[in-house]
């Protein structure tokens, strides 16, 4: 067993592999319930003796049951925890120089991972986020849980001079980063060389952290894979709270919302989502209901990330952005989004999202042989992920910061037909976890030798970027590229298809969903 000392007490981990020690479920903040519910995260209580940290901590309140991952059980409260994978003292990083020139144990680069899940589900315990391979590449890897759903992103109105912060999930992430700054040296990490990384809503969280004063100085580089575009105004967030409260049968007040249990609010959220799914006339939320998102509250999140980055808020942080080329096919495959199969439905979709005139026609011209449903999925994926990723890179460059852009386009033919380069498919490759059984659905079956080679290259790019800010290709230069394209074969640099990018010129981002 391996023991480490934190500011709250000693923790004991275990050898996850020959070269890596894992320490799981370390509290970085107090349980956010009881008197602390809907409040900013508070410091974790200290403990005496050595805490056994060989299992993941409880996940945040949610109804999702993800393959290979633990679910939430009502009553689980100690949900604000981190997990760490660190190279064992005697190990040498994979693909590293000879042992006498490997990094010092006390100065290894640190990568902090923020999971995705539409701000509603997911956890750091998902097997595809295992940090072993990245640790063997020379990083200290940290993954974290944070409040999601209403607990993390629901708007709670002020009451009798008492205010409740919006964006509590983002505040949890900041608290975890502060914990890293104070404790990571004990695990061999360098607190002055921290990279934050995330996927989907986790990647959008990273974009928010880049423009938040409270997060300034806590990290030095950022990785955003498939960042999700929506952010909410206070009006939208307050309207969502009224819907949730009505479904939960409680007043939309601090007292009413506090009396509702976390389970009540999870159930109510699911009921509201289902109502949107059943109602084609309910606007943009009908297509893939996502009730929660960061709130532009003027305090925790003072500005939307695109505006903030363009103004130079991220100038001191290198940014690596990636998106997949077929994002929304995953959401269609798992039944998460509405089907669009007729011309009338496609027209209504464009109207509900306020898409620019000519955009749909442009996609159909670019995809002349594709069925109508594929045109819809292509537009929807670019609308919520692909184009937003491109714009993050552009605005970071325009604001004077360094940005690197990449696209994941790995495809193959699997046992059940074509394997798409869809949402989430890139993450097992970047983590080096393509051999885990739980990711077989995402990557289309057992990995091939070419898949393992692609994973090795993507792990190396993340490790090199986290170490020194160079993923292995040139920086993005103010909307001119180039971009790295990840494929199973020799990767090449190429620009995003100009015809499709141009169709988005008149689209207003970020999208503020009603």
């Amino acid at each position: 067993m391996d023991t480490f000392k934190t500011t709250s007490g000693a923790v004991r981990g275990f050898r996850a592999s020959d070269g890596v020690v894992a320490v799981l479920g370390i509290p970085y903040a107090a349980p956010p319930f009881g008197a602390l519910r809907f409040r900013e995260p508070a410091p974790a209580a200290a403990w005496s003796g050595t805490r056994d940290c060989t299992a993941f901590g409880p996940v945040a309140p949610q109804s999702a049951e993800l393959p290979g991952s633990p679910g939430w059980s009502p009553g689980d409260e100690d949900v604000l925890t981190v997990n760490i994978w660190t190279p064992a003292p005697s190990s040498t990083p994979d693909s590293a120089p000879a042992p006498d020139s490997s990094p010092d144990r006390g100065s290894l680069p640190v990568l902090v991972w923020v999971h995705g899940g539409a701000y509603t589900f997911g956890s750091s315990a998902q097997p595809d986020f295992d940090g072993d391979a990245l640790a063997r590449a020379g990083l200290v890897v940290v993954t974290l849980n944070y409040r999601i759903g209403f607990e993390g992103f629901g708007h709670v109105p002020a009451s009798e001079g008492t205010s409740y912060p919006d964006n509590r999930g983002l505040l949890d992430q900041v608290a975890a980063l502060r914990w890293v700054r104070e404790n990571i040296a004990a695990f061999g990490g360098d607190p002055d060389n921290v990279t934050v990384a995330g996927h989907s809503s986790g990647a959008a969280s990273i974009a928010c952290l880049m423009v938040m004063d409270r997060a300034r100085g806590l990290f030095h580089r950022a990785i955003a894979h498939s960042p999700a575009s929506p952010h909410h105004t206070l009006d939208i967030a307050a309207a969502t709270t009224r819907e949730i409260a009505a479904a939960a049968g409680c007043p939309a007040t601090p007292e009413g919302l506090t009396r509702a249990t976390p389970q009540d609010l999870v159930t109510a959220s699911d009921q509201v989502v289902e109502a949107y799914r059943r109602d084609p006339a309910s606007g943009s939320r009908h297509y893939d209901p996502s009730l929660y998102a960061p709130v532009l509250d003027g305090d925790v999140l003072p500005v939307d990330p695109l505006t903030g980055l363009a103004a130079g808020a991220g100038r001191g942080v290198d940014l690596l952005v990636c998106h997949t080329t077929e994002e929304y096919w995953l959401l269609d495959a798992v039944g998460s989004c509405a089907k669009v199969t007729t011309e009338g439905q496609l027209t209504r979709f464009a109207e509900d999202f306020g898409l620019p005139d000519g955009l749909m026609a442009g996609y159909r011209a670019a995809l002349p042989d594709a069925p109508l449903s594929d045109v819809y999925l292509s537009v929807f994926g670019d609308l919520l992920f692909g184009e937003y990723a491109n714009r993050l890179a552009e605005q970071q460059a325009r604001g004077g910061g360094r940005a690197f852009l990449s696209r994941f386009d790995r495809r193959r033919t699997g046992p059940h037909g074509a394997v798409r380069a869809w949402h989430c498919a890139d993450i097992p490759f970047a983590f080096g976890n393509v051999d885990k059984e739980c990711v077989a659905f995402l990557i289309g079956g057992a990995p091939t030798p070419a898949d393992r080679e692609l994973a090795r290259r993507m792990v190396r790019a993340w490790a090199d970027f986290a170490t020194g800010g160079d993923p292995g290709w040139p920086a993005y230069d103010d909307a001119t590229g180039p971009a790295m394209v990840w494929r199973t074969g020799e990767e090449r640099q190429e620009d995003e298809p100009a015809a499709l990018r141009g169709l988005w010129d008149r689209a207003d981002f970020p999208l503020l969903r009603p």
Side-chain angles (χ1 to χ4, degrees), residues 334-376:
V334 300
S336 175
C337 63
K339 301 289 185 181
V340 169
T341 58
T342 69
E343 294 287 353
Q345 289 174 328
L346 191 63
T347 298
R348 185 167 199 163
F349 166 78
E351 293 172 348
D352 284 340
F353 277 98
L355 299 182
D357 293 340
L359 187 142
M360 280 297 182
Y363 267 76
R364 299 191 76 163
L367 304 168
D369 301 320
L372 185 146
S373 60
D374 281 6
V375 175
Y376 157 68

Side-chain angles (χ1 to χ4, degrees), residues 13 48 71 79 134 140 143 164 174 180 207 210 224 248 259 291 298 317 383 418 449:
S48 59
V79 300
L134 286 168
V140 176
T143 66
Y164 300 84
V174 170
V180 167
M210 290 184 70
R259 284 197 302 270
L291 301 182
V317 176
L383 172 69

Side-chain angles (χ1 to χ4, degrees), residues 71-103:
W72 172 65
S73 298
D76 286 347
E77 294 193 343
D78 203 1
V79 300
L80 301 183
T81 60
V82 295
N83 317 294
I84 297 173
W85 288 261
T86 184
S90 61
S91 66
T92 300
D94 287 354
S95 303
D100 60 355
S101 59
S102 60

Side-chain angles (χ1 to χ4, degrees), residues 204-494:
S205 295
I206 299 305
C208 292
L209 292 172
M210 290 184 70
V211 301
M212 288 170 52
D213 289 339
R214 301 185 193 211
R216 201 165 307 283
L218 295 177
F219 59 93
H220 312 88
R221 300 182 184 90
I223 299 173
H225 274 235
S226 299
S229 62
H231 297 80
H232 290 170
T233 63
L234 278 169
D235 287 345
I236 291 173
T240 299
T241 291
R242 291 192 290 271
E243 291 182 274
I244 299 302
C250 68
T253 63
E255 298 77 17
L257 293 165
T258 301
R259 284 197 302 270
T261 67
Q263 179 67 72
D264 291 337
L265 297 183
V266 167
T267 300
S269 298
D270 288 346
Q271 291 171 350
V272 173
V273 163
E274 187 57 30
Y276 278 112
R277 290 191 192 281
R278 291 196 304 265
D279 183 8
S282 58
S284 60
R285 277 186 173 168
H286 164 67
Y287 299 92
D288 189 0
S290 180
L291 301 182
Y292 302 108
V295 180
L296 299 174
D297 62 350
D299 178 19
V300 175
L301 184 59
V303 65
D304 78 83
L306 291 179
T307 301
L309 292 181
R315 190 174 294 129
V317 176
D318 295 337
L319 174 64
L320 171 58
V321 180
C322 183
H323 67 88
T324 71
T325 56
E326 298 176 296
E327 295 274 4
Y328 240 81
W329 271 264
L330 174 69
L331 288 304
D332 179 64
V334 300
S336 175
C337 63
K339 301 289 185 181
V340 169
T341 58
T342 69
E343 294 287 353
Q345 289 174 328
L346 191 63
T347 298
R348 185 167 199 163
F349 166 78
E351 293 172 348
D352 284 340
F353 277 98
L355 299 182
D357 293 340
L359 187 142
M360 280 297 182
Y363 267 76
R364 299 191 76 163
L367 304 168
D369 301 320
L372 185 146
S373 60
D374 281 6
V375 175
Y376 157 68
L377 293 173
S378 182
V379 171
F380 209 174
D382 287 345
L383 172 69
L384 294 188
F385 301 110
E387 178 60 16
Y388 188 63
N390 291 329
R391 292 196 183 198
L392 279 178
E394 288 177 358
Q395 300 301 68
Q396 170 73 347
R398 287 172 180 165
R402 288 208 312 163
F404 299 86
L405 183 62
S406 58
R407 298 197 303 279
F408 183 82
D409 194 39
R410 171 265 188 188
R411 311 183 195 199
R412 76 179 214 208
T413 301
H416 305 291
V419 176
R420 299 277 187 179
W422 58 18
H423 196 61
C424 299
D426 50 336
I427 299 306
F429 287 86
F431 268 87
N433 289 331
V434 292
D435 281 288
K436 289 189 178 292
E437 185 177 349
C438 65
V439 306
F441 171 73
L442 284 179
I443 69 172
T448 65
D451 288 332
R452 294 188 182 96
E453 173 59 18
L454 175 59
R456 186 197 65 77
R457 288 188 280 123
M458 292 185 71
V459 165
R460 190 72 261 152
W462 269 23
D464 288 347
F465 180 73
T467 300
D470 182 3
W473 64 93
Y476 197 74
D477 183 16
D478 195 11
T480 62
M484 169 66 79
V485 181
W486 295 111
R487 295 189 176 101
T488 48
E490 184 178 355
E491 73 272 25
R492 65 178 187 269
Q493 297 167 357
E494 62 180 30

Side-chain angles (χ1 to χ4, degrees), residues 149-160:
F150 195 93
E151 303 295 325
F153 292 93
H155 173 73
V156 180
S159 173
E160 298 179 356

